[in-house]
Amino acid sequence: GQQLNQSPQSMFIQEGEDVSMNCTSSSIFNTWLWYKQDPGEGPVLLIALYKAGELTSNGRLTAQFGITRKDSFLNISASIPSDVGIYFCAGLPTGGKLIFGQGTELSVKP
Amino acid sequence: DSGVTQTPKHLITATGQRVTLRCSPRSGDLSVYWYQQSLDQGLQFLIQYYNGEERAKGNILERFSAQQFPDLHSELNLSSLELGDSALYFCASSGTGLTDTQYFGPGTRLTVL
């Protein structure tokens, strides 16, 4: 079946550093979504991407829909302690259902 | 606040029992999705309803069932519960179907003892 590979699985960074994570797929996706989940809470939508090559920002967050439509990345600039959480990518293939990556757990040291 | 509500927030029950989880979608959303999240499995899609009808099915066990009512709220029924059913259960909603962005509720944490 279709799979999403999200990396890295976890990151430990210093406050103020930039962060980059990505997702790749063996299939073409029509939509890429990035969510953040705090412990015990539901995933919260950060950025939605609908076109190949699209680059979208939300504050310190920037995400891009890869040209091949098989990948996406999320960058966080100047990280702060409240960025801690698990970040999920999700992709929507043609005629299929939303598929989630396994998540990237981000820890930020003050 | 995503606009999606779920009740209850926590549920503790025993093996063999049956529980019902409830979800109210965002105002105007027609699609409701159910997901299970356990520590070692990530987010697993269970089932989707669109305007009262089942639209897509994922890794949902036969012991589980769902429905969407005319007022568009949805219920997920879990029966003959096993220890391994302990997980967070999320509901998400979207506007008109699979191509719409999904917004998640706060989840129900189910603990089976």
Side-chain angles (χ1 to χ4, degrees):
Chain A
Q2 291 158 329
Q3 289 186 334
L4 274 186
N5 296 312
Q6 184 172 351
S7 64
Q9 280 190 319
S10 60
M11 303 181 75
F12 298 86
I13 63 169
Q14 198 78 29
E15 183 177 359
E17 289 183 357
D18 296 344
V19 171
S20 186
M21 59 192 78
N22 70 83
C23 279
T24 60
S25 167
S26 56
S27 308
I28 289 174
F29 285 156
N30 296 323
T31 299
W32 283 98
L33 306 172
W34 285 92
Y35 290 87
K36 182 193 177 201
Q37 186 177 23
D38 292 326
E41 303 291 328
V44 174
L45 182 68
L46 299 174
I47 292 178
L49 303 160
Y50 298 107
K51 284 195 318 193
E54 184 179 353
L55 183 72
T56 298
S57 292
N58 177 9
R60 294 178 296 105
L61 279 59
T62 302
Q64 184 159 31
F65 192 142
I67 290 291
T68 65
R69 295 170 64 190
K70 292 184 179 181
D71 63 334
S72 177
F73 71 75
L74 175 71
N75 287 342
I76 306 173
S77 62
S79 58
I80 58 178
S82 62
D83 290 334
V84 165
I86 301 178
Y87 292 79
F88 289 98
C89 65
L92 185 64
T94 303
K97 56 186 182 294
L98 202 60
I99 302 168
F100 282 82
Q102 290 298 98
T104 295
E105 185 169 6
L106 178 64
S107 301
V108 179
K109 189 176 176 183
Chain B
D1 185 354
S2 67
V4 179
T5 60
Q6 287 186 250
T7 56
K9 191 157 177 64
H10 301 277
L11 200 48
I12 300 175
T13 188
T15 55
Q17 295 297 306
R18 172 190 167 95
V19 297
T20 298
L21 313 183
R22 184 189 166 104
C23 167
S24 292
R26 293 187 320 157
S27 177
D29 282 357
L30 299 178
S31 272
V32 168
Y33 309 76
W34 286 98
Y35 291 85
Q36 180 191 58
Q37 186 179 42
S38 49
L39 278 174
D40 58 347
Q41 290 288 323
L43 272 163
Q44 298 290 318
F45 168 70
L46 296 178
I47 197 165
Q48 179 206 359
Y49 277 81
Y50 174 73
N51 203 21
E53 295 191 2
E54 184 183 304
R55 171 69 73 91
K57 219 168 189 176
N59 303 320
I60 188 166
L61 299 171
E62 285 194 12
R63 299 183 286 109
F64 297 179
S65 65
Q67 55 183 328
Q68 186 178 27
F69 295 86
D71 67 353
L72 300 177
H73 91 270
S74 177
E75 292 181 355
L76 179 67
N77 300 297
L78 314 176
S79 61
S80 303
L81 285 167
E82 301 175 0
L83 295 177
D85 296 328
S86 295
L88 272 166
Y89 290 85
F90 290 106
C91 164
S93 75
S94 71
T96 57
L98 282 172
T99 57
D100 277 7
T101 300
Q102 295 179 28
Y103 293 86
F104 282 77
T108 293
R109 179 175 291 282
L110 174 67
T111 302
V112 182
L113 300 175

